Amino acid sequence: MFAKILIANRGEIACRVIRTARRMGVRTVAVYSDADAGALHVEMADEAVHIGPSPVGESYLRGDKIVAAALATGVEAIHPGYGFLSENPDFVDQVTAAGLVFIGPSAASIRAMGLKDAAKRLMEKAGVPVVPGYHGEAQEIVLLASKAREIGYPVLIKARAGGGGKGMRRVEHPDDFSEALSGARREAKAAFGDDRVLVEKYVDKPRHIEVQVFGDIFGNVVHLYERDCSAQRRHQKVIEEAPAPGMTPALRKAMTEAAVKAAKAIDYSGAGTIEFIVDASQGLKADRFWFMEMNTRLQVEHPVTEMVTGTDLVEWQLRVASGEKLPKTQSEIALSGHAFEARIYAEDAAKGFLPATGTLHHLKFPDTVPEGASMRIETGVRTGDAISPFYDPMIAKLVVHGKNRQAALEALGISLSQTEIAGSTVNTAFLAALAADADFSAGDVDTGLIGRHQQALTAVPPPSSEIVAAAALAASGAGAQAPTRDPWSSLAGYAHFHAMARRTRLRYGEDDILALVSMRPDGRFQVALDAPYDSALDLRAAPRLARWPGHVTVFSGAVGYSFAVPDPLARADEIAAGADSLRAPMPGLVKLVRAAKGETVIKGQPLLILEAMKMEHTISATHDGTIAEIATEGAQVTDGTVLVRFAEEAHG
C-alpha cells in the first residue's frame, strides 16, 4: 500500500479521498489555488501545495504543476478525483513518465472511451448495444443535418468529449438544427476544448441507468449493480438512487453483463461506470437499453453504490492501484436496502437553475435520521466558506440509506427539511419537492420528469405571516446584538412595567415590509405587520432561523426565506434601475452579443449569451424597447453587472 498520495482535486471529493486514506494509514497531500487557500480539503490533508491562481486553467488543469508538487512532496501516487484531469490521458502519461502511479485506469483505456463516437464504435464491435445515431468523424453541418433527418426527429446533439450535460441540445424540428448545433459546439469548445459532436435518436421516455464496474491489473472485472440517475435538470443529475426502481432480473442481468463486457474490451483497471439509456415507454425490458458512454473515473454519485453494497470504492481504488487484486469476487457482492443521493447546489431553481455564489454564513446538516435509516454528508465546505464563481457550485451531497425505497425516500425528505443553509440561494426546497413528487415517489422516473414538472417543483410559496413575523422579531434587535446572539433575548429589555415597541423594516424580494415588535409582560412577543400581511401575531417560541450581516433567514421545512434588513442610515431614496436595465444573474463571460446599440428589440428576443461555469445562459429582452447600451463580447462580468440598458421610452 502507498505511504503517501497527492489528490489532484478540490472540494468534497478531495475531502472524501482524504478520509479513506487517513483510515488506511495513507498520508495525503492537497493542492490548492488562490481561491482555495483556506479550503476544508487543505485543512484536512497532511500537507498542501499552492499550484496557482483561481481559474482552473491556471491551477487544477495544470498537470505540470500537479506532477511537480507530487515530486516535491515525495508521494508515490496521484488520485485525480472526478472532473478536472481525471479523464485526461495526457495527464496520465505525465504522471507515469514521472515515475508515479495514477490511481485510475491506463491512458489507453481512457483514450478508448474518451470520445463518445469512437467509444460507441468500439462497443458495437464488442457486442454491446448502442443508441441509433451518427458517430462518425465528419462534422460538416450539411452532413450532420442530413444524418439528423435520417435518424428522425427529435434528435440529441452531444459533444463527443466530456459530459455533465455540457454541449448537449435536444432538437425537435429541422429548422432548429443549425442554431442548436452552434450552441452545442460553443459550449463543448468552452468546456472540453473540442467542438465536435455526434447526433443520436432522442428516446421518448429515457431513463439513465448506469452500472458501477471495477477491474484490476490481473484481468478481473466485477460489477456493483446499477444506479438510476434519471432525475436530471439541464442534462445534469440531481438525485441518484440505487438500485434502480422497477429493475427486473432480466434487465439487470443483461445490463451488468454488457457493462462487464465493455470494461473487459478495453482491459479496464480501477473504478468506472458504464452509462446506459433505457427506453421506459413500455416498462423496463432487456432488449430496450443502449450504451451511452463510459466514465473512466469515480462518479459523483458513487456513495449510493457504497451504501447498498457495503463497500468503500476509494479504498478499492487505492488497493487496485497499488497492485492488489479486487477485494471481492462477484459472488461476494450483494445488494442491501436502498440509497438516495441529493446534490445540494448553490443555485436558483426558480430562475432556470442559475448558479449562485455567496458566503455560507450558516450551514447546518441534520443530526439524526429516522430509526432504521442512516445518513452521510459529503461536503468540502464549512460555515463561513464562500461559493466561488470559479468552480462547480455544489455545497454537499446528502446520502441516505433505508431498508427499502420507501424508507430511504422518507429519510431523504426528512433530512432535506432539516438542512439549513443561509448566505446563498440553494436548491434544498426543489430537492424536497422532487422527493415528494408523486411520480418520483412511485419510481416512475425518466430524464424528462423534472422538465415536465419544473414549474411546480421550483415554485416556492410566499412566506406566511408567521414567518415574516419571526424574521421581524429577529431583525428588531439587529442594531444592538451580535449576529450569533439569540434574537429573542435582545428584546428582553423592552418590557419593564409595561409593553414597549420597536419599529422594524424588512425587504423580501421586491417587497418592503414594516413591522411593530413589542414584548408583553407575560413573555410573549407581538408583531404587527403592515400590508400586504395586515396582521398581528403573538410569538413565544423561536423558530429555526439564522442571522447574518444585513439579513435574517427563517427556515420552514426545506425552504429558507431570506429577508434583507435595510440599514436605517442608508439613503431612503435609493432606487434601483428597475426595468430599464438587464443585469447579470451571476458572474460570467459575455460569450455572444446578438443586438446592437440603437437597435429596437421586442420582448423575448435573445440579446446576448452569458457563459457561467461552462454553461451558456441566454439573456432575453423583458419588454419591447430600444437599446441604449449593451455589453461587449468577451467582457467578464460580476453578479449584478448591467448587461443591457434601454433608452428611456414607453414600453409594454
Side-chain angles (χ1 to χ4, degrees):
M1 181 49 61
F2 307 117
K4 186 195 290 188
I5 64 172
L6 180 143
I7 303 162
N9 218 296
R10 65 176 299 280
E12 67 89 12
I13 187 56
C15 296
R16 163 76 186 90
V17 175
I18 290 170
R19 284 196 297 273
T20 288
R22 179 181 296 159
R23 179 176 58 78
M24 297 176 67
V26 178
R27 292 177 60 80
T28 55
V29 177
V31 293
Y32 64 93
S33 68
D34 289 348
D36 282 339
L40 181 59
H41 75 281
V42 174
E43 178 184 296
M44 289 178 62
D46 296 298
E47 301 173 53
V49 179
H50 177 252
I51 55 170
S54 302
V56 294
E58 301 176 52
S59 51
Y60 295 107
L61 291 181
R62 287 290 300 272
D64 56 338
K65 290 186 176 182
I66 291 171
V67 170
L71 294 173
T73 52
V75 306
E76 301 155 86
I78 295 179
H79 193 301
Y82 53 71
F84 293 148
L85 296 171
S86 63
E87 294 181 281
N88 186 320
D90 294 336
F91 177 62
V92 180
D93 287 338
Q94 283 182 283
V95 172
T96 55
L100 303 171
V101 175
F102 180 77
I103 302 175
S106 67
S109 294
I110 296 176
R111 286 190 173 99
M113 289 295 191
L115 298 177
K116 294 182 178 68
D117 51 356
K120 288 178 179 180
R121 292 195 295 269
L122 177 62
M123 290 298 98
E124 284 180 311
K125 292 180 181 179
V128 177
V130 300
V131 181
Y134 172 72
H135 309 128
E137 291 288 342
Q139 293 289 299
E140 292 80 6
I141 184 172
V142 174
L143 174 66
L144 294 176
S146 174
K147 293 296 183 181
R149 286 193 296 271
E150 290 178 15
I151 295 165
Y153 285 87
V155 298
L156 198 62
I157 301 173
K158 298 172 68 174
R160 72 196 294 255
K166 299 177 179 68
M168 184 181 295
R169 296 288 190 279
R170 177 181 174 178
V171 190
E172 297 284 349
H173 192 273
D175 292 346
D176 302 323
F177 187 84
S178 178
E179 178 76 9
L181 177 63
S182 297
R185 282 177 165 167
R186 282 194 306 271
E187 205 167 86
K189 184 68 173 179
F192 316 119
D194 186 344
D195 67 356
R196 289 170 291 181
V197 300
L198 50 85
V199 183
E200 293 180 342
K201 176 67 179 173
Y202 185 85
V203 180
D204 288 333
K205 190 175 182 182
R207 281 181 62 174
H208 179 133
I209 301 178
E210 58 190 35
V211 176
Q212 176 74 59
V213 294
F214 223 108
D216 62 25
I217 60 174
F218 304 99
N220 301 305
V221 178
V222 298
H223 69 80
L224 290 93
Y225 301 96
E226 81 281 352
R227 299 184 287 258
D228 194 303
C229 307
S230 300
Q232 302 179 8
R233 51 95 175 105
R234 296 169 63 128
H235 303 294
Q236 293 182 310
K237 301 166 186 174
V238 175
I239 295 180
E240 303 98 341
E241 60 181 300
M247 175 59 70
T248 65
L251 179 56
R252 176 173 289 146
K253 182 175 185 296
M255 289 184 72
T256 54
E257 287 180 352
V260 170
K261 185 186 297 184
K264 286 185 174 181
I266 57 171
D267 298 320
Y268 196 78
S269 176
T273 298
I274 310 296
E275 298 191 348
F276 296 101
I277 191 78
V278 182
D279 183 354
S281 59
Q282 298 177 11
L284 299 183
K285 296 185 177 181
D287 62 347
R288 302 294 290 171
F289 75 96
W290 302 279
F291 171 87
M292 283 199 302
E293 61 183 336
M294 182 178 188
N295 286 299
T296 52
R297 54 169 169 79
L298 197 66
Q299 290 281 86
V300 177
E301 59 272 19
H302 77 274
V304 294
T305 293
E306 294 182 323
M307 297 287 258
V308 297
T309 59
T311 58
D312 183 331
L313 295 181
V314 174
E315 178 182 341
W316 281 36
Q317 285 185 298
L318 297 180
R319 294 195 180 282
V320 165
S322 67
E324 297 182 21
K325 288 186 176 181
L326 288 172
K328 290 184 178 182
T329 64
Q330 190 65 68
S331 62
E332 294 174 319
I333 304 170
L335 277 174
S336 176
H338 203 98
F340 286 96
E341 173 183 287
R343 302 188 188 190
I344 300 176
Y345 281 101
E347 66 180 14
D348 193 335
K351 293 183 179 179
F353 303 101
L354 289 179
T357 56
T359 298
L360 301 176
H361 291 285
H362 178 81
L363 182 63
K364 182 177 182 293
F365 296 108
D367 298 321
T368 60
V369 291
E371 186 176 354
S374 60
M375 176 190 65
R376 65 192 254 196
I377 300 294
E378 299 286 351
T379 187
V381 295
R382 304 145 297 186
T383 297
D385 285 350
I387 301 299
S388 165
F390 295 105
Y391 313 118
D392 185 270
M394 181 188 287
I395 295 172
K397 301 184 306 192
L398 191 156
V399 190
V400 296
H401 179 269
K403 62 181 179 180
N404 53 42
R405 189 175 191 272
Q406 184 56 43
L409 192 60
E410 178 184 354
L412 176 65
I414 292 173
S415 298
L416 287 169
S417 70
Q418 295 175 349
T419 298
E420 301 175 3
I421 304 173
S424 177
T425 303
V426 295
N427 68 338
T428 49
F430 161 72
L431 293 171
L434 178 58
D437 178 82
D439 288 344
F440 186 85
S441 297
D444 184 14
V445 294
D446 63 80
T447 59
L449 185 149
I450 291 176
R452 292 193 300 273
H453 300 182
Q454 186 167 329
Q455 185 172 355
L457 293 174
T458 58
V460 175
S464 65
S465 295
E466 289 76 10
I467 289 171
V468 176
L473 181 55
S476 62
Q481 300 294 318
T484 55
R485 289 281 300 274
D486 174 9
W488 266 249
S489 65
S490 71
L491 289 176
Y494 280 20
H496 187 54
F497 297 112
H498 57 84
M500 298 179 67
R502 178 176 293 181
R503 188 174 298 278
T504 299
R505 168 173 283 179
L506 300 171
R507 182 176 299 119
Y508 182 77
E510 300 299 320
D511 296 334
D512 282 319
I513 304 168
L514 294 177
L516 193 65
V517 181
S518 60
M519 183 175 183
R520 297 177 178 277
D522 63 2
R524 289 181 299 159
F525 301 99
Q526 185 177 74
V527 181
L529 302 173
D530 284 351
Y533 298 95
D534 288 327
S535 59
L537 299 96
D538 287 346
L539 301 178
R540 184 181 298 274
R544 297 159 53 216
L545 59 82
R547 294 178 67 202
W548 45 289
H551 295 79
V552 172
T553 298
V554 181
F555 301 101
S556 177
V559 183
Y561 292 96
S562 290
F563 299 82
V565 183
D567 182 349
L569 300 180
R571 291 180 55 174
D573 60 348
E574 194 173 275
I575 301 173
D580 290 333
S581 65
L582 296 176
R583 297 177 180 269
M586 76 207 85
L589 174 73
V590 179
K591 191 72 173 181
L592 185 66
V593 176
R594 293 181 167 180
K597 180 178 179 180
E599 182 178 341
T600 300
V601 297
I602 60 174
K603 181 178 180 180
Q605 180 177 334
L607 302 181
L608 55 83
I609 293 176
L610 183 69
E611 180 188 280
M613 300 178 185
K614 302 302 182 184
M615 298 289 281
E616 291 187 352
H617 309 275
T618 299
I619 306 298
S620 301
T622 54
H623 54 75
D624 298 350
T626 301
I627 295 177
E629 297 177 39
I630 190 165
T632 57
E633 285 187 15
Q636 192 75 40
V637 299
T638 59
D639 186 10
T641 298
V642 174
L643 299 175
V644 180
R645 194 180 303 279
F646 293 96
E648 294 184 8
E649 57 185 4
H651 54 258

